[in-house]
Amino acid sequence: MGMHNLLKSRTGRRWRWRRCLRDLRRQRPPRGLVPALLGTTLISSGVILSAALNSERFKNDLLRQFVEEKINQIARNLEAETLDWAVWNETHDHLLNRNPDYYKDQYNQYSFARTPFVVSLSRQGSIHSSTTWDFKTKQPVPLSSTQEKAVQQQIPSRTPLQASTFLGRFEGRPFLFSAQPVRSTDSSAPPAGRLLFVRPLDTNDVSFKDSATLNRALGVTREFYGKPPGRQLNPLAPLYVTVPLQRWQATTPMQLVIERQPRERLQALRTIAGLILIATVLLVLVMLRTYAQGRRFRLLELRNQRTRLQTSRDLKKRRNHDELTGLLSESGLLQATVSQASRFTGFTQAIAHINLDHFSLITNGLGKSQGDQVLLTFASRLKETIHPSGAISRIGGDKFACSLIGTSVSALRTEVSSLSQHLNDLKIDINGQPLNITVSIGASLIEDSNHARAMHEASVACSVVKVEGGHGYQFYGDAKGSTSSYLAIQQANQELITAIHDRRLALHAQHAWQLNQGSELSATYVELLCRIQHPDTGKPYWRENIIDAAQFCGSLPLFDQTIIELACSNLSNLKQQGVGPGAHSQIVYAINITPDTLISPSFVQSLDQLVDSHDLDPSMICLEITEQAALRNPGEAVVAMKKLRQLGFRLALDDFGTGMTSLGYLRDLPLDYVKIDKSFIRKSSQDKASNLVVQFVVELSKEIGFQTIAEGVEDMEQLLELQAAGISIAQGYLITRPRPFLCKPQEWIFAQSGAQILTDHREPTSVV
């Protein structure tokens, strides 16, 4: 049992060690550490190596200077010694053949201790006599003819009897030769010849390699006279310092080469190795620290792994279902459609894309929680409506999709039509108040088991229905629900974008009369309308579907910005011409803006800067905001409108009565004008309900303080009725049709009043 535990513990330790090595191999240092360490090491190594090379160069120069000075000292000593012997009378007499025993009497073994041989030269430069010491016989003996010839070849100049000191070789050894003229005591007598003394340069007292100071300071190992070895690639090879000795050159040029150790490079390499070691140790410490941190978090990771796996399983289950309604998601619907096709072979499948109309008004008006309740109720009603064989999903926001099964295409069309009729008649009870819900439905048949394409086609068909106002359905492939209709929307939007880019937009205007100031009917309100100039003919035109296409494609903010800039430019031009703002300051000019432009964060500031740059009065500009714009985001709309009022701009609520405007908004919105929709104006004389609405708005305007504008006035009787009812301003074809706004001063008609027309109507011409 003890052996088993011992083996088990050893195996466990071996396994932990292997795991540690494996983790260290996989370990990566923190990002940037390796480049930082490498860069620091390289820079430091370069500095150290450069300093070492400079130190080495300095020491080499110092060694050359020292060698030259030492040889100079040897040469001066040799010259002095030679000169001492050259001025003796015995030496002079010897050269004149008067003292044949000169060497025997004057020289002994001590004389040749430092000078191995002595040579006397005649006036012609030939060797007169020579001697050296024979240590066997212990007597001076002459040099051999070969030796004398070798000495003769070393002498650079033979004939001139002048002092000279030079380098030479004799029997393979380097010598320093010094030849001095031999003179007698009579200074006026010419030299009798020259005396030549030599000094060997390879003895212990002269050699540089035997100097303890040089060896200790510079590491000199040996020296020789000749050429240094070729350059070696090994950076740790010995250094060879060459001393040319130009001053002492003779017939055979000689140079001194001193070999020394590369101590500076060795020291630099040791320092660099230390730096590399320190960097390696630092890197290892960081990796070990990182490894320790990884080990510290490993247990936490293992603990969380099961939780993550369980969460992943839950997310995988919930991915195919909507969290709010419990219906399938889009991916779940596609899977259900595939399963549905396998179960009901031989049947026809279709995808229905359902989108709630104006759902943003519900969430903005009632709140998100109430909007979620509407979605839950709608989902439950949709379950009750769809056959159990179908599959229902919520694919996002207020968008739903259904997979339907039918025996034929006509049966599916009938089912989609019935579904549209049932859902568009749906009423949902929210906190005891009924709420009417309308939907837009786009459907597409599933062909060739391409469910994704059918989903896309159904979405396209639904988008076409929403562009046309919603509250209906279309099948993809029909005249309106096909891709061609979708392309038509894109073409209409591109037509507008091209016109903006080519600057082919122009403003037309339609003015209105003031009705509550007696019979003057003065012009007080001019609405600016956009027209597109045809690229070929230049004629202005406009289509109502252009705005819908721009709204669908998201181009309305660019369109609004262009129209506002164009309006300010036209008003500035008219002001310079002396008409419009220049001559009729009481007229207000109205520009329509869309919801996205109104609540844009930079709209108010950019509009103020634009008006100021054109030197216009903000009070002459009125911004017409549709009822849907005010209700899309009431909080942001009210804030933006109040900022505009503070800057001096006027505000009008357009198309009042077409939506679900709360009377509280008329109280909260800072309005100057409320434009009653023409559908109420045309029916006010015949429909009692429409007449009551008009009267109610007039009474409300008196209480709150805004002016009412009646749209669509087309005959004089209607005008008089509106004036009697208390309407402030009338606008319609009776007054004028839209005309070009920017025109010549004499053609500008938007300041004309209707007093004469009203007089002619009240006092008809008598018949004679």
Side-chain angles (χ1 to χ4, degrees):
M1 190 65 181
M3 182 61 68
H4 174 73
N5 293 334
L6 179 62
L7 293 176
K8 185 176 180 181
S9 62
R10 289 184 177 179
T11 304
R13 285 195 298 269
R14 189 182 298 111
W15 178 81
R16 285 192 296 271
W17 174 247
R18 290 179 179 176
R19 184 181 65 180
C20 180
L21 292 179
R22 180 195 62 196
D23 293 342
L24 286 176
R25 284 194 298 268
R26 296 178 179 177
Q27 191 69 39
R28 293 183 180 180
R31 182 179 297 177
L33 178 61
V34 173
L37 290 176
L38 181 61
T40 304
T41 305
L42 289 177
I43 294 174
S44 303
S45 301
V47 172
I48 293 172
L49 188 59
S50 176
L53 293 178
N54 290 333
S55 176
E56 182 180 278
R57 189 179 301 109
F58 171 76
K59 291 182 178 180
N60 291 341
D61 294 339
L62 186 64
L63 180 61
R64 291 190 185 94
Q65 184 177 358
F66 175 78
V67 168
E68 290 181 355
E69 290 180 357
K70 186 172 182 180
I71 293 182
N72 289 341
Q73 183 65 33
I74 296 172
R76 286 194 293 268
N77 294 336
L78 181 60
E79 289 175 354
E81 184 179 1
T82 307
L83 186 61
D84 288 343
W85 285 85
V87 297
W88 287 356
N89 288 330
E90 290 81 355
T91 306
H92 185 267
D93 294 339
H94 174 69
L95 285 175
L96 296 178
N97 296 319
R98 298 173 183 171
N99 188 7
D101 298 329
Y102 169 73
Y103 293 108
K104 294 181 180 179
D105 297 337
Q106 303 298 332
Y107 289 88
N108 52 37
Q109 61 178 348
Y110 300 105
S111 302
F112 295 97
R114 298 180 61 188
T115 304
F117 60 91
V118 179
V119 178
S120 60
L121 303 173
S122 65
R123 291 181 178 180
Q124 290 77 23
S126 61
I127 295 178
H128 177 266
S129 63
S130 63
T131 184
T132 183
W133 185 259
D134 188 358
F135 288 92
K136 294 181 179 180
T137 61
K138 296 183 180 181
Q139 293 180 357
V141 296
L143 295 175
S144 64
S145 60
T146 304
Q147 291 176 332
E148 289 183 351
K149 184 177 181 180
V151 172
Q152 188 75 26
Q153 292 177 354
Q154 301 295 325
I155 302 174
S157 178
R158 302 178 184 177
T159 304
L161 297 179
Q162 57 185 0
S164 62
T165 304
F166 54 90
L167 292 171
R169 286 185 178 276
F170 179 74
E171 295 182 345
R173 297 178 63 190
F175 283 86
L176 186 62
F177 295 80
S178 179
Q180 300 293 331
V182 178
R183 296 181 180 274
S184 65
T185 55
D186 186 5
S187 59
S188 61
R194 283 189 295 179
L195 182 64
L196 180 67
F197 276 21
V198 295
R199 180 66 50 82
L201 297 178
D202 56 354
T203 58
N204 294 335
D205 59 337
V206 178
S207 177
F208 302 101
K209 64 181 178 61
D210 297 327
S211 174
T213 303
L214 289 179
N215 288 331
R216 184 170 56 254
L218 303 177
V220 176
T221 57
R222 69 187 181 99
E223 61 185 19
F224 57 91
Y225 289 82
K227 295 183 179 180
R231 181 175 297 179
Q232 301 182 18
L233 298 178
N234 184 9
L236 301 181
L239 303 177
Y240 294 95
V241 182
T242 303
V243 184
L245 302 176
Q246 297 292 341
R247 181 179 177 182
W248 316 111
Q249 297 300 322
T251 57
T252 303
M254 293 178 62
Q255 61 181 1
L256 177 61
V257 179
I258 300 177
E259 180 185 277
R260 58 182 294 263
Q261 298 175 358
R263 291 183 177 180
E264 294 80 4
R265 298 185 185 182
L266 290 173
Q267 184 64 28
L269 290 179
R270 283 194 292 268
T271 306
I272 293 173
L275 286 176
I276 295 175
L277 180 61
I278 292 174
T280 305
V281 170
L282 179 61
L283 181 62
V284 171
L285 289 177
V286 172
M287 293 184 66
L288 289 176
R289 179 179 175 84
T290 307
Y291 170 75
Q293 292 177 351
R295 286 290 303 273
R296 189 163 53 238
F297 290 109
R298 186 167 300 157
L299 289 177
L300 180 61
E301 182 67 22
L302 292 175
R303 292 174 185 174
N304 294 335
Q305 186 175 5
R306 291 185 179 180
T307 304
R308 289 199 302 268
L309 290 176
Q310 185 63 35
T311 303
S312 177
R313 295 190 190 99
D314 295 340
L315 290 176
K316 187 174 182 180
K317 291 180 181 179
R318 294 168 56 184
R319 184 180 59 184
N320 295 331
H321 291 81
D322 179 57
E323 184 177 358
L324 176 63
T325 61
L327 300 176
L328 295 174
S329 63
E330 184 174 359
S331 59
L333 178 64
L334 293 176
Q335 295 178 10
T337 305
V338 175
S339 177
Q340 189 183 59
S342 62
R343 291 200 318 268
F344 300 96
T345 57
F347 285 79
T348 304
Q349 286 182 287
I351 295 291
H353 192 283
I354 305 171
N355 197 342
L356 276 68
D357 298 332
H358 309 298
F359 183 71
S360 59
L361 300 179
I362 298 176
T363 56
N364 293 332
L366 301 178
K368 185 178 182 301
S369 60
Q370 297 297 332
D372 292 343
Q373 186 62 36
V374 170
L375 292 176
L376 286 171
T377 306
F378 182 80
S380 62
R381 299 289 180 86
L382 191 59
K383 290 180 182 178
E384 298 173 358
T385 306
I386 300 298
H387 191 271
S389 61
I392 309 172
S393 70
R394 177 174 176 245
I395 59 178
D398 57 346
K399 299 177 182 179
F400 296 82
C402 303
S403 177
L404 306 177
I405 289 291
T407 56
S408 62
V409 176
S410 60
L412 287 175
R413 287 181 175 272
T414 302
E415 186 172 356
V416 172
S417 176
S418 176
L419 178 64
S420 175
Q421 183 178 1
H422 178 78
L423 294 179
N424 281 306
D425 293 337
L426 186 62
K427 292 184 179 181
I428 297 178
D429 188 11
I430 300 297
N431 295 332
Q433 296 181 358
L435 182 65
N436 293 328
I437 297 295
T438 61
V439 298
S440 300
I441 302 178
S444 176
L445 298 176
I446 299 177
E447 299 177 351
D448 300 330
S449 300
N450 196 335
H451 306 89
R453 185 181 65 184
M455 179 71 74
H456 171 70
E457 292 173 349
S459 176
V460 170
C462 182
S463 300
V464 174
V465 176
K466 288 189 71 66
V467 170
E468 294 178 351
H471 197 281
Y473 75 95
Q474 287 291 339
F475 256 87
Y476 184 86
D478 294 347
K480 295 183 178 180
S482 61
T483 307
S484 60
S485 297
Y486 188 76
L487 294 177
I489 295 173
Q490 296 289 346
Q491 291 174 357
N493 177 71
Q494 186 61 36
E495 181 181 1
L496 177 63
I497 297 297
T498 304
I500 293 174
H501 181 269
D502 297 341
R503 298 186 177 182
R504 290 189 289 106
L505 295 184
L507 290 181
H508 281 48
Q510 183 181 23
H511 70 276
W513 290 338
Q514 189 79 31
L515 302 181
N516 56 0
Q517 295 181 358
S519 59
E520 291 298 326
L521 299 184
S522 59
T524 185
Y525 192 90
V526 177
E527 182 178 3
L528 303 181
L529 307 171
C530 179
R531 295 293 183 267
I532 298 177
Q533 296 177 345
H534 195 277
D536 298 329
T537 62
K539 293 183 178 181
Y541 70 93
W542 187 257
R543 292 194 299 272
E544 293 298 332
N545 65 336
I546 293 180
I547 293 295
D548 296 333
Q551 181 179 7
F552 181 78
C553 298
S555 304
L556 279 182
L558 175 62
F559 174 68
D560 287 346
Q561 179 183 358
T562 305
I563 293 301
I564 292 174
E565 293 177 355
L566 184 60
C568 292
S569 177
N570 288 358
L571 288 173
S572 179
N573 292 336
L574 290 174
K575 183 178 180 180
Q576 295 175 2
Q577 295 178 11
V579 298
H584 308 282
S585 58
Q586 76 281 2
I587 298 179
V588 177
Y589 303 91
I591 306 172
N592 291 276
I593 62 173
T594 56
D596 295 335
T597 301
L598 175 64
I599 63 177
S600 174
S602 61
F603 169 66
V604 177
Q605 182 179 1
S606 61
L607 177 62
D608 183 44
Q609 294 176 354
L610 182 63
V611 171
D612 183 65
S613 64
H614 287 85
D615 194 20
L616 299 176
D617 185 3
S619 62
M620 70 169 52
I621 297 177
C622 178
L623 301 176
E624 289 192 4
I625 304 167
T626 61
E627 188 176 346
Q628 289 79 4
L631 293 179
R632 172 172 293 186
N633 197 328
E636 295 184 9
V638 170
V639 172
M641 293 171 72
K642 287 183 178 179
K643 290 181 180 179
L644 292 170
R645 280 294 299 273
Q646 291 175 358
L647 294 174
F649 294 96
R650 306 195 185 197
L651 301 171
L653 184 65
D654 196 10
D655 298 336
F656 178 77
T658 58
M660 299 180 292
T661 305
S662 172
L663 297 179
Y665 289 130
L666 295 180
R667 177 194 61 199
D668 298 335
L669 295 176
L671 298 173
D672 295 282
Y673 305 95
V674 173
K675 301 184 72 173
I676 305 175
D677 190 68
K678 59 185 177 182
S679 61
F680 292 95
I681 300 301
R682 292 175 181 175
K683 299 179 182 179
S684 60
S685 59
Q686 302 173 359
D687 184 32
K688 185 177 181 180
S690 299
N691 190 20
L692 289 175
V693 171
V694 173
Q695 292 179 5
F696 176 77
V697 176
V698 171
E699 295 297 328
L700 190 62
S701 68
K702 296 177 181 179
E703 296 293 333
I704 298 179
F706 57 80
Q707 298 188 58
T708 54
I709 301 177
E711 296 181 312
V713 181
E714 298 182 355
D715 55 66
M716 186 57 67
E717 288 77 9
Q718 190 180 29
L719 177 68
L720 295 176
E721 291 177 0
L722 295 173
Q723 187 180 27
I727 294 294
S728 305
I729 301 173
Q731 179 184 5
Y733 286 170
L734 173 66
I735 298 152
T736 183
R737 291 180 177 271
R739 297 186 180 186
F741 181 58
L742 190 61
C743 57
K744 297 180 181 179
Q746 60 271 19
E747 298 176 357
W748 206 76
I749 66 169
F750 300 107
Q752 296 178 358
S753 67
Q756 185 62 40
I757 298 176
L758 183 61
T759 302
D760 295 342
H761 179 77
R762 290 180 174 177
E763 298 178 0
T765 304
S766 58
V767 180
V768 180

